[in-house]
Amino acid sequence: MSIWFNQTFPIDYVNDQGKDCLNQNIGITITDAGKDYLKGEMFVDKRNTQPAGFLHGGASGAFCETLASWAATFVVNPEKYHAVGLELNVSHMRPGFAGSTLTGIARPLKIGKSIQFWAVDVYSEDGKQICSSRVTMAVIEKPSEY
C-alpha cells in the first residue's frame, strides 16, 4: 500500500514548484517515488560547493530537508495541510565531489497527524553513502489565503 495521500506522488508538480527557489538554485530534482520512499538527485557544482570544491554541508542539509518536506507534504491531504521542518540532523560521512550527481532517498520513520520523522540518506554515483539525516516535520493547516 502506498504512503501517498492520493496514491501517487506528483513529481512533475513538485519539480515545477521548485523552480526559481532554493531547490533549482542548488540543483535539486525529484526523480522517483515508490510506495514508501521519495528519491531525488543533486548535481554537485559551484552552486552547492564550499571554496575547497567539495559539497557544502549546508547543501547536503538542504537536499535532505527538501526530500523530507515534499514527502511529508504528500502523505497528508496537500489541499488542507503543509509540512514544515522542525529539526534537521545531518551526519556527513564522506565528501561529495564537484561534477558528480548525488542521489537522496527519504523514507518515513513515523507518520503522525501533526509530527512526522523521516530518514534521508544521500549516496554518490558509486553507491557510497555521503550523509545520513533525520528530519522532523510539523504538519500544519494551510492558511485560507495560501
Side-chain angles (χ1 to χ4, degrees):
M1 184 171 162
S2 175
I3 62 173
W4 311 118
F5 180 79
N6 288 319
Q7 298 304 308
T8 58
F9 186 90
I11 292 174
D12 292 338
Y13 171 79
V14 299
N15 283 326
D16 188 56
Q17 292 295 301
K19 292 180 181 174
D20 300 321
C21 67
L22 180 94
N23 298 4
Q24 181 182 40
N25 290 339
I26 67 170
I28 297 171
T29 304
I30 305 304
T31 58
D32 185 33
K35 291 187 305 184
D36 66 347
Y37 69 86
L38 182 64
K39 189 182 286 189
E41 292 182 348
M42 182 171 66
F43 184 72
V44 182
D45 61 18
K46 288 184 181 252
R47 298 172 295 173
N48 51 32
T49 56
Q50 40 135 299
F54 301 114
L55 178 67
H56 191 290
S60 297
F63 186 28
C64 292
E65 187 163 339
T66 296
L67 290 171
S69 294
W70 279 128
T73 293
F74 287 96
V75 298
V76 296
N77 183 342
E79 293 180 18
K80 294 182 180 181
Y81 302 100
H82 187 72
V84 296
L86 281 181
E87 183 179 29
L88 171 66
N89 175 285
V90 182
S91 297
H92 304 284
M93 299 173 178
R94 59 179 40 90
F97 297 103
S100 65
T101 300
L102 304 180
T103 299
I105 303 170
R107 294 184 187 278
L109 297 172
K110 177 165 180 21
I111 300 172
K113 291 181 181 180
S114 60
I115 300 287
Q116 299 179 17
F117 300 93
W118 291 82
V120 184
D121 296 309
V122 178
Y123 299 92
S124 62
E125 292 173 341
D126 61 1
K128 292 182 179 174
Q129 193 166 9
I130 298 296
C131 72
S132 179
S133 172
R134 191 180 99 167
V135 186
T136 305
M137 303 298 299
V139 178
I140 59 173
E141 282 191 60
K142 284 186 174 179
S144 58
E145 66 274 354
Y146 188 75

